[in-house]
Amino acid sequence: MSETYTDHWALIEYGQEKHVQVVKTTKSQSAAEEAAWTWGRRHLSADAVKRATVRYLGQSEPLTRY
């Protein structure tokens, strides 16, 4: 039995040097963006999260998991 899915990527930019962290999910664009914010809240200071920017990077072609 196989399952078709699509990967979605988003990034969070933070800090004066514009560090980035990329996250991936198979759910949706909004889920990828929320995952980036969640990563920021878990790993950055509250001040850094306030100044951070999240951008959606896109999605993959449909993939098949066997």
Side-chain angles (χ1 to χ4, degrees):
M1 189 159 96
S2 64
E3 173 190 0
T4 301
Y5 66 98
T6 304
D7 286 330
H8 297 267
W9 290 277
L11 67 77
I12 183 167
E13 284 183 304
Y14 60 95
Q16 292 180 355
E17 297 85 23
K18 291 296 181 192
H19 298 287
V20 298
Q21 176 67 36
V22 177
V23 296
K24 178 180 84 168
T25 181
T26 58
K27 295 180 181 175
S28 66
Q29 176 179 345
S30 60
E33 292 168 347
E34 183 56 35
W37 284 120
T38 299
W39 184 93
R41 287 190 295 271
R42 289 182 181 164
H43 295 91
L44 304 173
S45 69
D47 189 49
V49 172
K50 288 178 189 174
R51 293 186 313 237
T53 303
V54 167
R55 289 189 293 142
Y56 181 66
L57 297 176
Q59 67 185 41
S60 68
E61 294 294 321
L63 304 166
T64 303
R65 187 176 301 149
Y66 295 96

